[in-house]
Amino acid sequence: MKAERPPRPHLEPLPYAQVGEIVGLLEVVHDQGDRTNLFALASRLRLEFGLAILAVKAAEVLDLAETPRQEVLLTPLGRAFVAADPNERKRLFHRQLRAIPTFAYLADMLRRAPGMRLPAEIIEEELAMHLPGEPTESLFETIISWGRYGELLGYDPDAREVYLDVESTATEGARP
Amino acid sequence: MAYNPAVGATASSGALVEVRGVTHRFERDGHDLVVLRDVSLAIEAGEVTVVLGPSGCGKSTLLRIMTGLIAPTSGEVLCHGTPLHAVHCGAAIVFQSFALYPWLTVTENIGVGLHRTAIRGAEAAERLRRVIDLVGLEGFEEAYPKELSGGMKQRVGIARALVGGPELLCMDEPFSALDVLTAESLRSEVYGLWTRGDLGLQGMLLITHLIEEAVFLGDRIVIMGTNPGTIRELLTNPLPHPRSISPMHQR
């Protein structure tokens, strides 16, 4: 199988934060009036600073927060996310994922693949090739967990195949 | 306490569950250990009861007695006014440790919550679909627990508890194994599930050692002391609903 490759894009690594941490961070910042100092936040929550940075950076990659100097503030989109119900949050997250080059690239790759699915190894090879300095396993796990939450990518752990999650996003709530 | 619209029409007489004069002893290394002494407590419909206490005060034991998982050494357990001699059929439990089957997928783990009901086939599938949607697990249906973060694992635990349509949701330190940020987001989601009022839930019993959590979620707060576990104080939480701002950060 040799799908025609799009021009090589600039793939970016992702901050290895869990979706739950990102959402929790947004809610905490919202509770502080949509803006807070990062050091103060980490110390008040007794949260390891490195983990706080990862969650903040992840929110920034998704355009849900910005970090001028040591401040964290919610973007208009971040405020909309906090106010939204769980399903609307997922739709918003889905849209944001598509704007991230790494996800856009993988989604495109999958769209060209037969049945819109590819073995996990092919995705991992692709990531390793583009981002040789990154731990591929962590990157892959992050991509799958964000992708599943945003219902952009699916992963079948029995077949070890990644696929484009077309049904759930196209037809809300009508999964088999 | 009338803010939960689920309550009313279907509530039958008597507390959802009540213990009267319950004492419980364990035998440990030949010693007789009194875990609970003369505890009386009723979980009423329409409210969230929070049992707050330090570790070792017997609050988890109390939850197990109230749900019929263990029988007390002495004292009475009543479910809607009738003595409870088996597992409380209207109660579901969410555990701190998630307690998922590692060899089952997310959907299959949630489906375990239907095993003790008569719900099968198309209705089971529909219920699974709805509860997966409710707790935000769409996209994770085929994942195994080892692929999930703690927050997602506990979502599976919550979905498994809700899928059978329990009248009483019992949660034993449900957020204590999660990092603070994840705990924050899940706590407000659980609050959202309770206040939406259309799940058939009549009451909620939460066990915690966190004062802020008790204040955020509880309508009635039961403070327990240790050695042996006794009820020290029963408080009514006057904070109005909805409680949109988390008290976790107002220090």
Side-chain angles (χ1 to χ4, degrees), chain A residues 18 20-21 24 27-28 31-32 44-47 87 90 145 148-149 151 155 157-158 163 173 175, chain B residues 129 133 136 138-144 147 149 152 179-182 184-185 188 246 249-251:
Chain A
Q18 299 290 346
E21 294 168 331
E27 290 182 346
V28 168
D31 284 356
Q32 303 287 312
R44 190 169 36 236
L45 292 174
R46 297 183 208 113
L47 178 67
N87 279 319
K90 282 166 88 88
S145 75
R148 276 172 165 167
Y149 177 78
E151 296 173 58
Y155 174 57
D158 292 325
Y163 59 90
R175 291 175 68 85
Chain B
R129 193 202 60 74
D133 176 62
E138 281 173 316
F140 293 88
E141 291 91 335
E142 64 199 332
Y144 290 99
E147 299 177 74
S149 65
M152 289 296 165
D179 65 273
V180 284
L181 291 175
T182 305
E184 173 70 25
S185 62
S188 49
S246 159
H249 315 294
Q250 309 284 308
R251 296 199 175 127

Side-chain angles (χ1 to χ4, degrees), chain A residues 94-143:
Chain A
H94 177 93
R95 275 210 304 277
Q96 294 312 100
L97 284 185
R98 300 180 79 100
I100 296 174
T102 305
F103 281 95
Y105 179 75
L106 294 180
D108 198 57
M109 222 177 122
L110 289 166
R111 198 169 294 113
R112 292 153 188 263
M116 299 198 201
R117 51 171 64 223
L118 286 170
E121 298 128 59
I122 296 204
I123 304 284
E124 284 167 344
E125 270 170 30
E126 198 71 18
L127 293 172
M129 216 160 63
H130 284 281
L131 300 162
E134 284 300 305
T136 303
E137 201 176 309
S138 317
L139 183 58
F140 181 79
E141 280 173 16
T142 305
I143 286 169

Side-chain angles (χ1 to χ4, degrees), chain B residues 66-84:
Chain B
M66 291 191 118
T67 47
L69 291 184
I70 53 178
T73 311
S74 63
E76 275 187 296
V77 188
L78 303 171
C79 171
H80 293 289
T82 17
L84 182 72

